Amino acid sequence: MSVIGIDFGNESCYVAAARSGGIETLANDYSLRATPSVVAFDGKKRIIGVAAKNQQVTNMKNTVSGFKRLLGRKFNDPHVQHELTSIPARVEARGDGSIGFKVNYLEEDQHFSPEQLTAMLFTKLKETSAAAMQTQVNDCVIACPIFFTNAERRALLDAAQIAGLNVLRLLNETTATALAYGFYKNDLFEEKPKNVIFIDFGHSALQVSACSFTKGKLKMLASTWDQIGGRDFDLAVAEFFAKEFQERYKINAKTNARANLRLLTEIEKLKKQMSANSTKLPLNIECFLEDIDVSSSMQRSQMEELCAPVLQRVEQTFKRLLAESKLQLDDIHSVEIVGGSSRIPSVKQLIEQVFNKPASTTLNQDEAVSRGAALQCA
Ligand code: ATP
Ligand code: MG
């Protein structure tokens, strides 16, 4: 029997386990390491992960994503209301004020809570890990954002329980990252402390921490965060293209949920290409709305302009961490980056500006959190 470490991301999940002396990130039923945090219902079938994401555009009403940030909260919570503006599924308040995702399943309308949806996702992770390791999986360590409240943590534990997972520990994502780093670096055993900054920039959050390693012991000096992530870049760019298409083609992408989702999907792809490329890149969507094909382009500098307010908040978060950690720039050994959005070049530039060190990629940017969680129980 094996213990797994789970990184439950707002966009995707990773699972790792200690195996034959090392830590391994496990592949799912599509031979992929990332399992999208998406659950869908189709007639009598429940579809989870890669397959769910693949059919989202054609089954929008019964496909649910973005539920991580709704755990343990009531429908009327302003945070929930804000989250709902970017969730395409149907979400309603239940009689007791809780959140219900409305889907058609087993030929009737049903409501599922964020906890139940998370449990379905966890069940899938449990099954795919058991298949990958060819052994039963019951125990796990789950990583959660450092800013999760007690209610959010309790909801996560409830979800794990519904999925039949025994949670040995909930671990902050920031701590998981630091543990993953400590495991691979063998120069951290010196008398003199080594101070390392960890930056996790994901889909929905930016979490930054300062840690000190002395003789292999890890001490958290400071942590800070902001509720911004990759999706905020996508939204800023989507706003721009929606306006352009309105002017050029007289179509309003925002009035159509499917068009909006397709636009955001294409923009996310474009954004990733822009991370590697500074030239102008095309954006083409066939039969976007009213049978009209749309085409446009964008280059990195333009995206940076559109996303200036997000980048400003990134910079402020970095500066806050530096101040709270009380570290001098010379005291910092390295700045390690994880999370998909840390690949954005202007984020790396800000790291260099604020911390006077280039962003370092010692860790696997996608898998570090799950690996740290797996290490905690190894
Ligand atoms: P969270 O930590 O907020 O719960 P998550 O763990 O699911 O979310 P990650 O998987 O770390 O998030 O990152 C996903 C985000 O990173 C997405 O917004 C995605 O568009 C973005 N991303 C991934 N690769 C790149 C890239 N090459 N360039 C720019 N952004 C990228
Ligand atoms: Mg994450």
Side-chain angles (χ1 to χ4, degrees):
M1 210 156 73
S2 262
V3 185
I4 54 171
I6 299 178
D7 170 10
F8 169 34
N10 195 53
E11 185 173 73
S12 43
C13 300
Y14 288 83
V15 181
R19 275 173 104 185
S20 49
I23 299 286
E24 203 174 302
T25 310
L26 305 175
N28 59 27
D29 46 347
Y30 281 72
S31 299
L32 297 170
R33 292 173 171 202
T35 299
S37 304
V38 183
V39 177
F41 303 86
D42 184 9
K44 292 187 177 143
K45 273 193 315 213
R46 217 166 64 178
I47 311 165
I48 297 159
V50 181
K53 183 149 191 184
N54 286 348
Q55 55 83 73
Q56 186 165 20
V57 174
T58 51
N59 183 24
M60 281 195 61
K61 282 192 171 156
N62 296 311
T63 304
V64 178
S65 58
F67 42 87
K68 171 181 178 180
R69 307 300 303 276
L70 304 182
L71 283 168
R73 290 177 184 268
K74 294 284 187 199
F75 186 83
N76 284 334
D77 183 331
H79 168 84
V80 171
Q81 289 304 313
H82 176 71
E83 286 290 318
L84 292 184
T85 56
S86 57
I87 293 179
R90 295 169 294 178
V91 189
E92 296 173 351
R94 310 295 308 278
D96 60 355
S98 64
I99 302 165
F101 280 83
K102 186 175 168 189
V103 294
N104 193 280
Y105 181 45
L106 303 176
E107 280 152 25
E108 57 177 325
D109 278 344
Q110 302 199 32
H111 287 92
F112 291 109
S113 66
E115 290 75 21
Q116 286 173 310
L117 295 161
T118 306
M120 293 174 199
L121 183 62
F122 283 173
T123 304
K124 177 77 178 177
L125 298 178
K126 184 180 164 182
E127 284 166 9
T128 49
S129 335
M133 294 197 289
Q134 301 200 328
T135 173
Q136 212 186 327
V137 171
N138 289 325
D139 296 335
C140 68
V141 172
I142 304 178
C144 72
I146 187 165
F147 50 80
F148 255 26
T149 60
N150 278 338
E152 287 170 303
R153 285 167 201 256
R154 245 192 334 267
L156 203 50
L157 291 174
D158 287 346
Q161 194 184 17
I162 303 172
L165 279 168
N166 174 38
V167 183
L168 301 178
R169 203 175 150 185
L170 282 184
L171 189 68
N172 287 334
E173 288 168 7
T174 44
T175 310
T177 307
L179 283 174
Y181 178 81
F183 184 69
Y184 289 104
K185 294 298 267 188
N186 42 19
D187 57 348
L188 301 172
F189 286 85
E190 296 162 10
E191 291 281 340
K192 196 169 166 285
K194 263 203 174 117
N195 303 307
V196 182
I197 308 286
F198 294 100
I199 292 171
D200 180 351
F201 197 13
H203 180 244
S204 63
L206 169 66
Q207 302 178 71
V208 193
S209 60
C211 297
S212 155
F213 293 89
T214 321
K215 292 195 212 161
K217 285 233 161 62
L218 156 73
K219 187 176 160 206
M220 275 284 171
L221 301 174
S223 300
T224 177
W225 58 87
D226 195 355
Q227 314 271 357
I228 43 170
R231 60 182 181 176
D232 296 294
F233 289 82
D234 303 345
L235 289 172
V237 174
E239 192 74 28
F240 171 85
F241 281 123
K243 235 185 238 153
E244 185 185 324
F245 297 158
Q246 173 78 55
E247 279 162 22
R248 275 180 47 205
Y249 304 102
K250 310 281 175 261
I251 47 177
N252 187 353
K254 287 194 170 164
T255 53
N256 183 300
R258 180 179 296 184
N260 206 26
L261 179 66
R262 286 183 70 204
L263 180 61
L264 284 169
T265 308
E266 290 307 313
I267 286 171
E268 190 180 20
K269 282 188 212 155
L270 181 68
K271 177 185 70 175
K272 290 180 185 174
Q273 290 165 7
M274 281 193 281
S275 288
N277 234 301
S278 59
T279 55
K280 205 169 223 176
L281 298 167
L283 176 105
N284 300 309
I285 312 177
E286 273 179 38
C287 296
F288 182 57
L289 253 183
E290 298 165 24
D291 281 342
I292 297 173
D293 300 340
V294 295
S295 66
S296 187
S297 63
M298 186 172 279
Q299 73 186 61
R300 190 196 287 165
S301 53
Q302 206 179 347
M303 183 194 79
E304 288 169 354
E305 264 171 50
L306 293 170
C307 300
V310 187
L311 290 166
Q312 207 174 0
R313 282 171 68 176
V314 171
E315 183 178 0
Q316 284 163 356
T317 311
F318 291 170
K319 287 188 169 158
R320 215 165 47 237
L321 188 267
L322 191 60
E324 284 177 19
S325 72
K326 302 202 171 64
L327 289 173
Q328 301 299 312
L329 290 177
D330 288 345
D331 298 334
I332 298 171
H333 171 69
S334 69
V335 183
E336 303 292 338
I337 54 171
V338 299
S341 302
S342 66
R343 295 192 176 92
I344 297 173
S346 44
V347 171
K348 292 188 192 165
Q349 278 160 19
L350 284 174
I351 291 176
E352 201 148 354
Q353 262 174 44
V354 176
F355 298 106
N356 201 24
K357 295 248 162 11
S360 165
T361 50
T362 309
L363 293 162
N364 181 313
Q365 274 163 278
D366 299 313
E367 300 170 16
V369 172
S370 64
R371 297 170 81 89
L375 264 171
Q376 177 64 37
C377 50

